[in-house]
Amino acid sequence: MATLTVPSSVPAVAEDAEQLHKAFEGWGTNEKLIISILAHRNAAQRRAIRRAYAEAYGKELLRALGDEIHGKFERTVILWTLDPAERDAVLANEEAKKWHPGGRALVEIACARTPAQLFAAKQAYHDRFKRSLEEDVAAHVTGDFRKLLVPLVSAYRYDGPEVNTSLAHSEAKILHEKIDKKAYSDEEIIRILTTRSKAQLLATFNNYKDQFGHAINKDLKADPKDEFLSTLRAIIRCFTCPDRYFEKVIRLALGGVGTDEDALTRVITTRAEVDLKLIGEAYQKRNSVPLDRAVAKDTTRDYEDILLALLGAE
């Protein structure tokens, strides 16, 4: 359920590269031309454009973009133009280096991607930063968050549909016992959340509700201001209802005193080719306002234009 719109007849890659080069020429940059091309090409097409641009003009397209555009618009264009795995590597590196308990990029990359996508992101991280994602998370994150996030980003989960129902029953009981004792960072909770497949976790969470009469996340709201509990809830929501999880991220990004452009940009650039239509539907259902209208209200100029293009707005 992507929102990305690609023309039925896409110009030749060399023509796209030439048009982008023309957008950079002269006294001013043609931002609308940049948006009309890059915001309407899929990952494979953007990759081909980058390659063609470098071959034709001897300069990496991302560097050329960075020389011509700036600020929030530049960040959005650069993140979008990157391959998904490269983009995740950049986002993970930024969060690891400036870690704070409310960060969500690492959780999203570890839990809202497929195991293969997380593996590709870690390979891209290694190639780009000459270190592993795991070692940077371990170096910059401390305490219970380190105990949780290092195995979370280290995982390579089984991605199939098979479920062990007796295991789901027993591990739901383990989770309830630990949560009831407020042992939120217990190694058993961390082991279950960081090793089990998505299908197995969904079975465990359903079993938890069946056995104890309410969803696990209700028990994890014992202290709404506790960021560790909030992170545990975010992990669970990324597995159980990613569209509602990302809707909340956008809602909070747009609903504060000022707009959280980093969160807004992260969600739109990472989900436009995945499920941004579902996220938009969840947003409208929750807020009674179309997502593109809410984004337009809180953003301006070229930044607004590229976000709306990625949202599929007419």
Side-chain angles (χ1 to χ4, degrees), residues 189-260:
I189 291 180
I190 292 173
R191 175 187 63 80
I192 292 167
L193 292 182
T194 62
T195 64
R196 296 305 185 198
S197 71
K198 178 178 178 178
Q200 187 67 40
L201 284 173
L202 293 179
T204 299
F205 301 148
N206 287 335
N207 208 289
Y208 188 105
K209 187 173 183 179
D210 291 342
Q211 285 191 65
F212 307 109
H214 50 262
I216 185 173
N217 266 2
K218 183 175 180 181
D219 285 345
L220 289 171
K221 285 186 177 178
D223 182 358
K225 295 182 179 180
D226 187 318
E227 284 291 355
F228 189 79
L229 291 185
S230 181
T231 302
L232 292 179
R233 294 197 303 273
I235 290 169
I236 291 167
R237 287 176 69 85
C238 276
F239 283 118
T240 58
C241 45
D243 55 331
R244 287 164 55 198
Y245 164 83
F246 285 112
E247 180 279 324
K248 185 176 181 180
V249 175
I250 291 179
R251 174 164 32 98
L252 293 176
L254 295 173
V257 176
T259 305
D260 184 348

Side-chain angles (χ1 to χ4, degrees), residues 122-139:
K122 291 194 289 185
Q123 286 183 308
Y125 196 102
H126 190 277
D127 292 343
R128 191 179 187 98
F129 301 108
K130 312 308 177 190
R131 298 183 304 279
S132 71
L133 173 58
E134 294 88 342
E135 70 178 293
D136 274 358
V137 172

Side-chain angles (χ1 to χ4, degrees), residues 71-87:
K72 296 171 288 189
F73 179 55
E74 176 193 0
R75 176 169 173 78
T76 308
V77 172
I78 296 294
L79 282 176
W80 172 248
T81 304
L82 288 167
D83 269 0
E86 289 181 280
R87 184 194 306 130

Side-chain angles (χ1 to χ4, degrees), residues 24 29 59-70 74:
F24 306 147
T29 304
K59 187 175 185 179
E60 164 61 43
L61 176 59
L62 297 179
R63 181 170 295 179
L65 287 164
D67 289 342
E68 296 292 330
I69 58 179
H70 307 285
E74 176 193 0

Side-chain angles (χ1 to χ4, degrees), residues 82-306:
L82 288 167
D83 269 0
E86 289 181 280
R87 184 194 306 130
D88 280 347
V90 169
L91 291 169
N93 179 257
E94 289 176 350
E95 182 161 291
K97 288 193 304 182
K98 299 177 181 179
W99 165 252
H100 61 94
R104 289 290 178 266
L106 290 170
V107 167
E108 293 165 11
I109 292 164
C111 304
R113 313 294 193 258
T114 67
Q117 288 168 340
L118 173 58
F119 185 72
K122 291 194 289 185
Q123 286 183 308
Y125 196 102
H126 190 277
D127 292 343
R128 191 179 187 98
F129 301 108
K130 312 308 177 190
R131 298 183 304 279
S132 71
L133 173 58
E134 294 88 342
E135 70 178 293
D136 274 358
V137 172
H140 296 287
V141 181
T142 59
D144 289 341
F145 286 99
R146 179 194 284 166
K147 285 171 55 179
L148 174 65
L149 291 177
V150 171
L152 195 71
V153 301
S154 302
Y156 189 78
R157 303 172 192 266
Y158 167 67
D159 200 26
E162 285 79 3
V163 167
N164 184 322
T165 54
S166 63
L167 182 66
H169 182 85
S170 65
E171 292 195 331
K173 190 174 181 180
I174 291 171
L175 289 171
H176 185 263
E177 289 173 352
K178 299 300 180 182
I179 292 171
D180 192 51
K181 294 177 181 177
K182 302 188 187 305
Y184 303 119
S185 62
D186 188 273
E187 62 181 19
E188 285 291 88
I189 291 180
I190 292 173
R191 175 187 63 80
I192 292 167
L193 292 182
T194 62
T195 64
R196 296 305 185 198
S197 71
K198 178 178 178 178
Q200 187 67 40
L201 284 173
L202 293 179
T204 299
F205 301 148
N206 287 335
N207 208 289
Y208 188 105
K209 187 173 183 179
D210 291 342
Q211 285 191 65
F212 307 109
H214 50 262
I216 185 173
N217 266 2
K218 183 175 180 181
D219 285 345
L220 289 171
K221 285 186 177 178
D223 182 358
K225 295 182 179 180
D226 187 318
E227 284 291 355
F228 189 79
L229 291 185
S230 181
T231 302
L232 292 179
R233 294 197 303 273
I235 290 169
I236 291 167
R237 287 176 69 85
C238 276
F239 283 118
T240 58
C241 45
D243 55 331
R244 287 164 55 198
Y245 164 83
F246 285 112
E247 180 279 324
K248 185 176 181 180
V249 175
I250 291 179
R251 174 164 32 98
L252 293 176
L254 295 173
V257 176
T259 305
D260 184 348
E261 287 96 354
D262 283 344
L264 181 63
T265 300
R266 184 181 77 246
V267 173
I268 289 179
T269 57
T270 59
R271 309 310 291 186
E273 289 185 274
V274 185
D275 58 357
L276 192 53
K277 187 173 182 181
L278 292 176
I279 295 165
E281 290 171 356
Y283 186 93
Q284 182 157 2
K285 183 177 181 180
R286 176 68 169 72
N287 304 281
S288 302
V289 177
L291 179 54
D292 56 355
R293 189 186 303 170
V295 168
K297 182 180 177 182
D298 268 37
T299 57
T300 59
R301 305 180 67 181
D302 301 320
Y303 179 56
E304 173 189 351
D305 290 343
I306 190 165

